[in-house]
Amino acid sequence: TTINITMDPDTDVPDERGGGRLEYENDSSGSRNGSVELQPLVLPSPPLPLTPPRRGGDAPEDVVFLRSTSEPRGSNNNVAHAKTSADAVERVASMLSNEGIVNWIQRMLVLGRQGAAAVSDRVDHLQGASQPLGDPSLSSSAAVTSAPDDAVEDTKRKKMILLLMSTLFVALLGATLSKHSAMEVEMEVEAGEQTDAFHKHTPNAKDKDKKSNVHLINLEGYLPKDTVNVYDYMLPGTEDAEPLSAAKGRPYYPILNHFQRRNPNSPYAQTWGYFDFEDPNKKWDGKMRPQPNFAGAPNRDVKNDDFPKDAWQRDADYMGLFLAQAKLLVNRTIEAVYGEYGVGIPSDGSITLTEEQMVNREQFAPFVLKEKVADAAEGSWSTKQSFDGIARRVIHHIMTGDTFKLVLGGHSAAAGHGAGFNQSFIIEAGHVLEPVFAHLGVEFRAYNFAQGGVGTVQQALAGMDLRNKDADWILWDSRMTERPAYLIDFFYRQAIISGNRSPVLQSDTGQVNLNGFHDTAGASIAHHGLGWVPVTMTDEQVKDVPWAAQWLQCGRGATTDCKAHEYTAGCWVEREDFTPAVHQNPVAGGAAAWHPGNRIHKRKGRMIALVILRALEYALEKWDTLAAENGGKFPVPEEEWHVTDYYENIREKTKTLGGCFENNWRIGQARHLEEIHTAENHTEVDDHRQLQDDFWPPRICNLPLQGRTLWGPRNNPMETSLLSIMRKNAMGDIDPGISATSAYMKGPCYNPPDRPAPWTEPDYPEPFAPLVGGSRRLDANGKEELSQEEEPHLLRRVEVDADNERVVGKSDRELSFVDQYEIPVSQNMRGALENYENAATLKGTAAVDEDGKIIDNDAIVPGYGLQVGWGKEGICDGSSHSWCGKTCASDCFMSGAQDNRGKVCFDGLSGWAVFDIRDVKHGFIGARMEPWHGNEETPITAGWTEVNNGGMGNYKKSGRERELHEKYQQRHAEEGTERMRREIEEDILNENDDQRRLGGGQSCGMKGDYTFEWAINGTKTTWNQAEFCNHFTRLNYNIDVIKFMDDESKTGNFELAMRMTNVGRDNVMCISHLYWA
């Protein structure tokens, strides 16, 4: 329903006829049309000041806005300033329509106060229009009239009361008829290209400096005093790692409350509004309210009685104000996304959309909330069952201050190759959502775990260890590298079974069938589609196209080339504190025909964000409804927001679904030497052969799998690395080659954050959703609070010498948290350290002497010749807060690419690699192996002629000899990283090859025969090359695996050891992933 009020544009009062007309019109699906005549309302002089309502105050306090609702977003193209008490009735009426029946009772007091003021203004004017309002000379006796005049005035009073009642009726009618949100937008509009459906808003030059009357609150008690680290795991031996290295992590200020990030004086806040919220109880002004012990309950599901009396979750006044502001926050963020493409409406009414633009607005991001999955829908959609489940999750996370994690698995296109990692679509969605959730007291993170040249199965075999066990929402996008439906099913199935939270499952293609997860298991699902975008026709016309849509889609007959403008992500933005020693490329590398550019990624990311925002909008409305049904009391009943049973129910029902490897075939494709050349004619049945015991069992589909790897990006990179389960050697080292030059010990060449880039955000006043949703409040001193991307990271000055080597100096400024930068030793950290410290020493045993010399090479003790190929330097955790690959030799610092392939390698002189695998519950252990490497992958054994170099490895080297050896290892490590990069690029180029599954690691060895020996808890098994190849099983392209245990009766902790013999340095075996269940 649209409510239009005719106003004089010059005076902001009813039109020059002295009256107005309140009209309401339904959209194309409605049938009711009509109008209510408004009697002339005389403007009092001077006007009475209005006190705007504290709920839903989207505007600065000194301006009151009249809002009308239109189509999906609760806002239309007629927004007028209401500066008089007479206009307040219409203002409140439109607000009622905008916010719906749920909030009607909350508005009644405001309506009564302002409506009464309007009637009073009118009556007072009729009694003495010639007297200024408030003139002390005016009294009741001064307005004495004749009896007929009294009758006239009485009639007028009745008319005014009737007007008030009519306005109330219209508001209620509008709230009832028009309460259809963006999720119910009509999709019946005729499709077609539009070449002029954009609207550039150019405000006055004074707009940037415009200030409003801001509510300043005491933020001192709300701001976090200490930083926390991105992960709480420390690998023993890495205590001296450099800041911002993989081993050290990255500190940040956590989200603790609803008051940390507000600034209503930013230009975007003036146009779009801001999160104007403060604690209504002055007792708690600037103070954190008491909270229960969430950590003491599974999934933070505390009981309602556990909330202290003064907890904000119990306070109806607090919750009423908070929910009202939260709804407005979500509303304006959605509007900002629409605005980025020319069809959004800011809160201040500065943009008026034409009829054509309103049509385009409906086509921009159509969304349908379906009753059943099978119901037809175009564009984006979800189901009511799904949104109810998401509402439970959202209410829980806000009430308990839990985290919210959005996760993607995919191939190179999803990873952002060619577009830049921080411009990949899942990270773009995170840019929009993170500040919104921060206002709600929830720490949001988006993670892109896509890896070029492969699919997702190598991650899914580790359950959710590598993808984040606390994922709330997950997407798959690997259609070029994982075509079989059972691999897609496995990806989502393991997300539910192995994760902690039974995440929402989302897709964007018909290749993904999530019906069973929804209908049988009760999981929430969603689908994001695309819609209308402004088209580009000429190089001149594109200047008037919204920034986000420029060259995004060329129309028929266009004279410009959109493809030539697809990749605009650059490599560097100048900054005052650092100058690269290596020339930076003009654009990020990785462009390919199947790799979308950064504008396409942004558009897709916005569509994903809109689905989540609409789910968030639904959740906030439902929270309000649940409270109303609970007699207006908070918190709402536990059965509406507890999640433990909800997660477990979905998890258990998922195990009953079919579709994963058909539940009856062995998993894999034989890698026997004699079959390699005949596999070109493989059929679908070949992918499920049940011929060999070395194939992987189908039961792993429904087991909660675990794993460790050195491929990345991955969640919590140190804890999920192979190093975290490698047994330390007799000298106390997990990595015998550990030094300051190890990749995971090295910090970046410069410190975060990167500067804003012209390819990532537009100039003001172009709408930019992350800043609209992230408007921050000033602190008590009028200073803008630091955002997460502006946190003080400048720990040390980093310079580069003439040889392009890093030179680390002292801090160039004092930072309050430097002294706290050391990672706090959490319970998890202490546990990990104690496990290593309490391990039985190897020295002085039959295998190792008192000096640490290995005297029995057949004894299963960790060797001194293991080569750890870590991969990329830095924090490569898949998030936008990562700081990955910032080495001084980089020629594209801002590409942000994180996919990398590390491994632990050993040759015939390296000795044993020993892994401690804990908590095996289902008797399964397997690994991804690489037997095709040469000795370039084991520089640690260079110059050796004996196993373990005679028993001491390189530990006896000292002085100049040790220095030279470390430089040698460093050089070879850099060469290994370059080989890894080329390997990934070659695999990416093969992604579109129909026969690609035959490539990638099909060799079982490079130089003749070898002996591969492995042992479980000391029981040894020996294979020659042919036997190894007979057990080598292919699961997908470049995913070749060995099964070490498959016995459901075996449970507990196990030692897995492996080594090469009888080959010297000629043949090298590497392990990249280790899996168990």
Side-chain angles (χ1 to χ4, degrees):
T1 296
T2 301
I3 301 176
N4 297 324
I5 300 176
T6 307
M7 308 293 283
D8 186 301
D10 297 321
T11 62
D12 259 349
V13 298
D15 64 18
E16 59 188 7
R17 296 175 299 171
R21 189 175 184 86
L22 178 62
E23 300 179 343
Y24 56 94
E25 303 172 354
N26 275 17
D27 57 23
S28 58
S29 65
S31 60
R32 184 170 181 86
N33 292 279
S35 63
V36 176
E37 291 289 339
L38 301 182
Q39 296 296 322
L41 299 177
V42 179
L43 178 67
S45 178
L48 286 173
L50 288 179
T51 302
R54 301 307 303 275
R55 295 183 192 274
D58 201 24
E61 193 173 21
D62 56 346
V63 178
V64 180
F65 291 117
L66 176 63
R67 300 173 59 104
S68 300
T69 185
S70 153
E71 187 260 309
R73 297 298 346 120
S75 179
N76 79 338
N77 57 325
N78 294 309
V79 181
H81 291 254
K83 296 183 177 178
T84 74
S85 56
D87 294 336
V89 175
E90 289 86 348
R91 170 184 172 274
V92 176
S94 63
M95 291 169 65
L96 286 172
S97 181
N98 177 45
E99 294 190 13
I101 291 291
V102 174
N103 293 328
W104 179 77
I105 296 177
Q106 298 176 357
R107 294 290 185 182
M108 284 304 296
L109 292 177
V110 176
L111 178 65
R113 181 170 61 252
Q114 297 184 342
V119 175
S120 177
D121 292 346
R122 175 61 179 154
V123 171
D124 288 344
H125 175 77
L126 292 174
Q127 290 179 340
S130 61
Q131 294 287 346
L133 192 64
D135 191 323
S137 65
L138 184 64
S139 66
S140 58
S141 61
V144 177
T145 60
S146 64
D149 290 336
D150 287 339
V152 172
E153 295 302 321
D154 185 66
T155 299
K156 292 181 178 179
R157 291 189 187 97
K158 291 179 179 179
K159 287 183 178 181
M160 286 305 302
I161 294 173
L162 179 60
L163 171 62
L164 175 60
M165 298 303 295
S166 300
T167 305
L168 276 172
F169 172 78
V170 171
L172 288 173
L173 183 63
T176 303
L177 295 179
S178 71
K179 189 55 184 176
H180 79 135
S181 65
M183 65 186 66
E184 299 164 319
V185 63
E186 294 295 320
M187 296 189 302
E188 300 169 355
V189 182
E190 181 179 350
E193 292 181 341
Q194 304 292 334
T195 61
D196 59 347
F198 46 81
H199 186 97
K200 297 280 284 187
H201 168 49
T202 306
N204 297 328
K206 298 179 180 179
D207 281 5
K208 287 188 178 182
D209 299 324
K210 183 172 61 176
K211 302 294 182 182
S212 61
N213 185 15
V214 178
H215 295 116
L216 289 181
I217 64 174
N218 177 19
L219 287 179
E220 184 63 27
Y222 299 131
L223 300 181
K225 307 302 180 185
D226 299 325
T227 60
V228 296
N229 205 285
V230 290
Y231 41 83
D232 58 4
Y233 179 88
M234 179 178 287
L235 187 73
T238 64
E239 292 81 2
D240 295 329
E242 296 178 3
L244 297 175
S245 63
K248 205 68 165 183
R250 179 175 182 175
Y252 69 96
Y253 290 118
I255 301 297
L256 300 178
N257 51 69
H258 306 136
F259 307 98
Q260 290 174 231
R261 292 178 171 83
R262 319 283 187 267
N263 180 10
N265 283 338
S266 74
Y268 284 107
Q270 295 299 321
T271 306
W272 296 88
Y274 63 94
F275 193 67
D276 187 19
F277 177 61
E278 59 185 288
D279 197 321
N281 190 334
K282 296 305 179 183
K283 170 185 175 182
W284 296 102
D285 183 26
K287 299 177 184 178
M288 294 281 289
R289 292 216 186 192
Q291 293 292 285
N293 178 23
F294 293 115
N299 294 300
R300 304 171 72 87
D301 275 349
V302 298
K303 297 180 180 179
N304 282 356
D305 290 341
D306 292 336
F307 288 101
K309 182 183 69 172
D310 288 324
W312 60 264
Q313 293 91 336
R314 283 186 175 276
D315 190 327
D317 291 336
Y318 186 109
M319 288 301 304
L321 292 171
F322 171 74
L323 288 176
Q325 282 296 317
K327 293 175 192 176
L328 292 170
L329 167 69
V330 175
N331 182 282
R332 66 173 162 271
T333 305
I334 296 176
E335 282 294 344
V337 173
Y338 276 63
E340 288 180 323
Y341 296 87
V343 290
I345 303 168
S347 302
D348 71 347
S350 55
I351 294 179
T352 300
L353 300 183
T354 65
E355 291 184 6
E356 182 180 26
Q357 289 169 336
M358 291 300 290
V359 171
N360 294 332
R361 174 186 171 93
E362 291 194 6
Q363 298 181 72
F364 170 69
F367 185 91
V368 175
L369 191 65
K370 304 192 294 186
E371 286 293 330
K372 299 179 180 179
V373 177
D375 293 345
E378 297 179 11
S380 301
W381 58 265
S382 186
T383 67
K384 187 176 184 301
Q385 170 190 305
S386 298
F387 265 36
D388 284 336
I390 295 169
R392 173 186 297 274
R393 186 185 306 261
V394 167
I395 295 171
H396 169 274
H397 287 9
I398 296 176
M399 284 184 62
T400 66
D402 211 340
T403 60
F404 197 105
K405 301 180 187 298
L406 172 65
V407 168
L408 169 72
H411 62 342
S412 59
H417 288 232
F421 178 86
N422 278 331
Q423 288 77 58
S424 62
F425 65 81
I426 202 69
I427 300 299
E428 284 285 6
H431 291 330
V432 175
L433 296 168
E434 185 172 329
V436 173
F437 277 86
H439 287 320
L440 306 182
V442 175
E443 182 178 286
F444 179 97
R445 290 288 185 275
Y447 294 89
N448 188 344
F449 295 125
Q451 296 174 336
V454 290
T456 64
V457 67
Q458 74 282 352
Q459 294 173 333
L461 284 167
M464 290 299 288
D465 285 359
L466 310 181
R467 299 180 288 169
N468 201 309
K469 294 178 77 71
D470 290 332
D472 288 286
W473 204 295
I474 191 166
L475 297 88
W476 173 92
D477 187 356
S478 194
R479 67 199 73 190
M480 290 181 63
T481 58
E482 288 179 333
R483 296 170 185 172
Y486 55 80
L487 292 179
I488 304 171
D489 178 285
F490 185 63
F491 174 90
Y492 285 113
R493 183 181 299 251
Q494 279 296 314
I496 293 176
I497 293 175
S498 300
N500 293 333
R501 299 186 177 181
S502 298
V504 181
L505 314 179
Q506 185 160 334
S507 70
D508 69 343
T509 172
Q511 185 178 354
V512 179
N513 186 344
L514 301 176
N515 295 14
F517 293 107
H518 177 275
D519 294 342
T520 302
S524 293
I525 67 173
H527 178 92
H528 60 276
L530 296 178
W532 171 89
V533 293
V535 299
T536 295
M537 299 300 296
T538 69
D539 289 334
E540 185 63 28
Q541 174 261 356
V542 75
K543 298 176 182 178
D544 293 322
V545 173
W547 175 82
Q550 291 175 348
W551 287 289
L552 179 59
Q553 177 179 317
C554 276
R556 288 189 292 269
T559 59
T560 188
D561 184 3
C562 283
K563 192 67 177 178
H565 296 273
E566 183 171 350
Y567 304 100
T568 64
C571 290
W572 187 246
V573 174
E574 296 300 325
R575 51 192 292 161
E576 68 283 355
D577 61 332
F578 175 76
T579 301
V582 176
H583 175 72
Q584 298 294 288
N585 294 332
V587 295
W594 59 94
H595 290 170
N598 43 291
R599 288 190 180 92
I600 299 174
H601 272 280
K602 183 185 292 289
R603 164 70 170 161
K604 185 173 181 178
R606 294 304 193 258
M607 295 302 102
I608 294 171
L610 283 175
V611 172
I612 297 176
L613 286 168
R614 283 162 174 155
L616 182 56
E617 184 178 50
Y618 181 96
L620 295 170
E621 289 287 355
K622 183 170 182 178
W623 199 350
D624 240 346
T625 300
L626 291 172
E629 294 172 351
N630 195 39
K633 296 179 180 179
F634 292 90
V636 297
E638 294 168 7
E639 58 268 23
E640 301 292 349
W641 66 272
H642 276 192
V643 295
T644 300
D645 291 342
Y646 172 72
Y647 293 159
E648 184 61 23
N649 184 55
I650 295 172
R651 188 178 297 117
E652 290 304 312
K653 289 182 178 179
T654 294
K655 297 176 184 179
T656 68
L657 296 177
C660 181
F661 303 110
E662 303 305 318
N663 288 332
N664 57 2
W665 293 97
R666 298 288 182 178
I667 302 172
Q669 179 179 347
R671 305 297 299 151
H672 303 170
L673 288 175
E674 66 272 17
E675 294 186 17
I676 288 178
H677 299 295
T678 63
E680 294 182 5
N681 298 320
H682 74 276
T683 66
E684 192 70 12
V685 175
D686 292 322
D687 291 335
H688 307 287
R689 292 178 183 175
Q690 194 175 10
L691 302 176
Q692 302 292 332
D693 289 339
D694 48 274
F695 286 3
W696 285 28
R699 66 188 180 95
I700 68 172
C701 279
N702 292 320
L703 299 181
L705 293 167
Q706 300 183 68
R708 298 291 185 268
T709 185
L710 284 175
W711 280 24
R714 62 184 180 273
N715 177 59
N716 199 343
M718 289 306 298
E719 186 173 5
T720 58
S721 73
L722 285 171
L723 296 182
S724 69
I725 58 173
M726 283 177 63
R727 184 177 297 175
K728 67 177 181 179
N729 60 33
M731 303 301 287
D733 292 329
I734 296 169
D735 175 6
I738 189 171
S739 70
T741 63
S742 297
Y744 52 89
M745 298 285 285
K746 296 177 67 175
C749 196
Y750 68 101
N751 293 293
D754 279 322
R755 299 297 183 259
W759 60 87
T760 61
E761 64 181 75
D763 293 332
Y764 179 83
E766 281 273 4
F768 188 54
L771 291 184
V772 171
S775 295
R776 299 185 305 279
R777 185 188 284 278
L778 300 178
D779 65 20
N781 298 318
K783 296 181 180 179
E784 190 169 321
E785 184 194 346
L786 291 174
S787 72
Q788 288 174 312
E789 287 304 317
E790 295 167 333
E791 58 202 34
H793 294 301
L794 198 54
L795 304 176
R796 303 179 297 172
R797 182 184 296 279
V798 181
E799 299 175 348
V800 182
D801 63 16
D803 296 324
N804 200 36
E805 294 292 334
R806 301 170 70 256
V807 179
V808 181
K810 295 181 179 180
S811 172
D812 67 347
R813 61 175 176 173
E814 294 297 326
L815 297 175
S816 61
F817 78 101
V818 170
D819 293 336
Q820 304 161 359
Y821 181 72
E822 293 299 324
I823 303 175
V825 181
S826 69
Q827 292 294 331
N828 289 340
M829 282 185 171
R830 280 196 294 271
L833 293 172
E834 287 167 2
N835 285 339
Y836 286 102
E837 293 301 327
N838 294 336
T841 179
L842 296 173
K843 292 183 179 180
T845 65
V848 183
D849 69 15
E850 294 291 346
D851 295 325
K853 181 178 180 179
I854 299 176
I855 55 180
D856 183 357
N857 289 323
D858 288 329
I860 298 177
V861 296
Y864 292 150
L866 306 177
Q867 186 73 51
V868 175
W870 178 261
K872 288 191 173 183
E873 297 176 9
I875 303 164
C876 305
D877 66 355
S879 76
S880 62
H881 293 256
S882 59
W883 200 243
C884 179
K886 305 288 187 177
T887 64
C888 295
S890 173
D891 57 9
C892 191
F893 276 124
M894 295 179 68
S895 73
Q898 297 194 30
D899 45 338
N900 65 98
R901 301 178 184 176
K903 51 192 176 289
V904 175
C905 298
F906 46 94
D907 56 32
L909 305 182
S910 298
W912 289 94
V914 185
F915 301 91
D916 288 311
I917 304 173
R918 301 180 182 277
D919 199 25
V920 174
K921 296 180 179 179
H922 303 280
F924 180 82
I925 299 175
R928 181 187 176 278
M929 308 294 293
E930 299 180 1
W932 55 81
H933 294 289
N935 58 26
E936 70 278 358
E937 296 296 344
T938 53
I940 192 172
T941 64
W944 292 12
T945 58
E946 302 176 74
V947 175
N948 289 312
N949 198 22
M952 288 300 294
N954 293 321
Y955 282 103
K956 279 195 171 182
K957 294 182 178 181
S958 61
R960 181 62 175 167
E961 183 184 18
R962 185 171 184 83
E963 180 183 346
L964 290 174
H965 183 75
E966 288 189 352
K967 286 191 173 182
Y968 171 82
Q969 286 201 111
Q970 173 66 14
R971 184 173 71 253
H972 278 266
E974 292 171 354
E975 292 172 357
T977 301
E978 178 60 22
R979 286 194 300 274
M980 175 192 72
R981 184 188 64 80
R982 291 197 301 268
E983 178 185 320
I984 294 174
E985 289 180 352
E986 290 171 2
D987 280 343
I988 290 172
L989 292 177
N990 291 326
E991 281 182 342
N992 207 27
D993 184 355
D994 288 338
Q995 299 297 322
R996 64 186 306 282
R997 284 184 291 179
L998 300 180
Q1002 63 181 350
S1003 171
C1004 289
M1006 294 294 292
K1007 297 181 179 179
D1009 198 10
Y1010 56 79
T1011 299
F1012 176 74
E1013 191 171 5
W1014 58 277
I1016 295 284
N1017 286 353
T1019 301
K1020 297 178 182 178
T1021 300
T1022 301
W1023 292 335
N1024 60 27
Q1025 182 189 27
E1027 290 170 323
F1028 180 91
C1029 288
N1030 281 338
H1031 291 87
F1032 208 28
T1033 303
R1034 166 143 294 191
L1035 302 185
N1036 197 30
Y1037 175 80
N1038 205 1
I1039 307 299
D1040 299 293
V1041 295
I1042 289 289
K1043 182 176 64 178
F1044 294 110
M1045 179 191 290
D1046 184 11
D1047 186 342
E1048 295 182 68
S1049 67
K1050 294 183 177 180
T1051 61
N1053 299 330
F1054 292 88
E1055 169 198 88
L1056 172 65
M1058 59 187 73
R1059 68 173 178 172
M1060 297 280 276
T1061 61
N1062 302 327
V1063 290
R1065 298 190 69 235
D1066 290 338
N1067 263 314
V1068 173
M1069 181 71 71
C1070 299
I1071 177 173
S1072 64
H1073 298 72
L1074 189 54
Y1075 309 113
W1076 67 93

